Amino acid sequence: PVSSAFFGVLISLSYNYLKLKDLMDLQLSFEQKLVMTAKTDVPMEKQRIGRYQILGEIGRGGMAIVFKGKEKETGKIAAIKVINPLYSADPTFKIRFKREAKVMMRIHHPNIIGIYELNRQKGVYYYAMEYFLGKDLKDKFSAIRKKGEKQVIHILRQILDGLWAVHKKDIVHRDIKPANILINDEGFIKITDFGLARPIEDDNLMTTIGQAVGTPAYCAPEQIMGKKVSARSDIYALGVLMYEMLNGM
């Protein structure tokens, strides 16, 4: 027979869950609930974030969810990045989220995803950016190799052009990898995801000394060791990416 102690524990867990759920329902804003229900059958046609009508979900990561939206006045299509509700109350994540948007606002280049605005609604930060219909560069590796070295060079030139614009503003991306490079069917490139980017002069901010950030397979030695990074760190990552494109790794 099941002991009474077991039922006691079960009831206690259930009670605490309901208390937590009620607390979350009280604290979650409209946008946070929208984010949490984005993968359900809840219709999104009438949902809005700021000036944008939500058309659907593009993707989600650990820090944020990205929606496809349409601006009410102009009908312009945009990608709306909303901070993940799990971290919306964390001041560190808020700072990083806002920093990412502000870094992107400083850079204007055809090979960099453009950003329209950074805003907040009911305590939830979001920013609207250029909607680019492209795929992860790695998904195109096979097709790129079939076209030969000239296609690889064409892609590298675009990435280098974009990085030149980033480095000209004294910013280091710190996470150059195929997943952060988008390519469309015409072979046009956009660098995206500036979540780890920062001005060089602020390199000691938000990172514990000696702590590595980035994707290890693409990190330069100084980045792996948690030392000060520079534009050369991004070029190192690009070299790894180029090797993968040419060799199919």
Side-chain angles (χ1 to χ4, degrees):
V2 179
S3 68
S4 59
F6 172 80
F7 280 109
V9 171
L10 184 62
I11 291 170
S12 177
L13 289 173
S14 300
Y15 175 73
N16 287 331
Y17 167 77
L18 291 172
K19 280 180 64 179
L20 177 62
K21 184 177 182 298
D22 289 341
L23 181 61
M24 288 177 67
D25 286 339
L26 287 172
Q27 291 182 341
L28 289 179
S29 68
F30 164 77
E31 282 74 22
Q32 289 171 309
K33 290 176 181 178
L34 172 64
V35 166
M36 295 185 76
T37 59
K39 290 268 186 197
T40 71
D41 294 328
V42 176
M44 304 180 74
E45 295 80 11
K46 296 182 180 180
Q47 309 286 11
R48 292 187 179 276
I49 297 178
R51 299 180 289 120
Y52 299 90
Q53 174 189 343
I54 300 303
L55 303 178
E57 181 181 322
I58 296 173
R60 58 177 62 205
M63 182 176 167
I65 296 91
V66 181
F67 297 102
K68 182 180 180 181
K70 182 171 72 172
E71 191 177 25
K72 182 180 179 181
E73 298 297 328
T74 65
K76 178 173 63 178
I77 301 297
I80 317 299
K81 191 168 186 176
V82 182
I83 194 166
N84 192 311
L86 295 174
Y87 305 113
S88 61
D90 187 324
T92 299
F93 274 91
K94 283 184 180 180
I95 291 171
R96 287 179 174 173
F97 188 83
K98 289 189 290 182
R99 184 184 65 196
E100 177 183 7
K102 290 176 180 179
V103 164
M104 292 174 71
M105 286 174 132
R106 290 176 55 185
I107 307 164
H108 303 280
H109 191 275
N111 295 119
I112 303 292
I113 287 289
I115 186 167
Y116 304 136
E117 67 169 300
L118 168 66
N119 217 323
R120 182 174 65 175
Q121 183 170 316
K122 296 182 180 179
V124 179
Y125 281 98
Y126 70 91
Y127 65 79
M129 56 185 168
E130 174 186 3
Y131 178 73
F132 181 72
L133 191 59
K135 291 186 176 181
D136 178 329
L137 182 60
K138 198 161 192 174
D139 292 340
K140 296 281 191 177
F141 274 2
S142 179
I144 291 168
R145 284 194 302 277
K146 288 179 182 179
K147 293 182 179 180
E149 294 178 4
K150 287 186 178 180
Q151 180 67 3
V152 173
I153 292 171
H154 173 67
I155 289 169
L156 287 175
R157 280 178 175 169
Q158 292 183 74
I159 300 174
L160 284 169
D161 282 347
L163 284 177
W164 175 84
V166 173
H167 298 156
K168 191 177 179 182
K169 296 290 185 179
D170 290 326
I171 293 168
V172 184
H173 187 284
R174 300 202 306 170
D175 202 19
I176 293 295
K177 60 183 179 181
N180 291 337
I181 308 292
L182 298 178
I183 181 170
N184 65 13
D185 291 337
E186 287 72 44
F188 194 76
I189 290 291
K190 293 277 187 180
I191 300 173
T192 187
D193 198 341
F194 283 73
L196 294 181
R198 66 178 55 188
I200 294 174
E201 64 270 18
D202 294 338
D203 191 54
N204 289 325
L205 296 178
M206 303 294 294
T207 302
T208 304
I209 295 174
Q211 178 182 350
V213 295
T215 304
Y218 300 90
C219 285
E222 67 274 13
Q223 192 169 347
I224 284 286
M225 293 185 286
K227 296 182 178 180
K228 188 176 180 67
V229 298
S230 67
R232 291 175 293 182
S233 307
D234 286 342
I235 300 302
Y236 179 98
L238 182 56
V240 178
L241 188 152
M242 179 181 70
Y243 180 85
E244 287 184 332
M245 276 198 294
L246 290 169
N247 291 278
M249 300 296 288

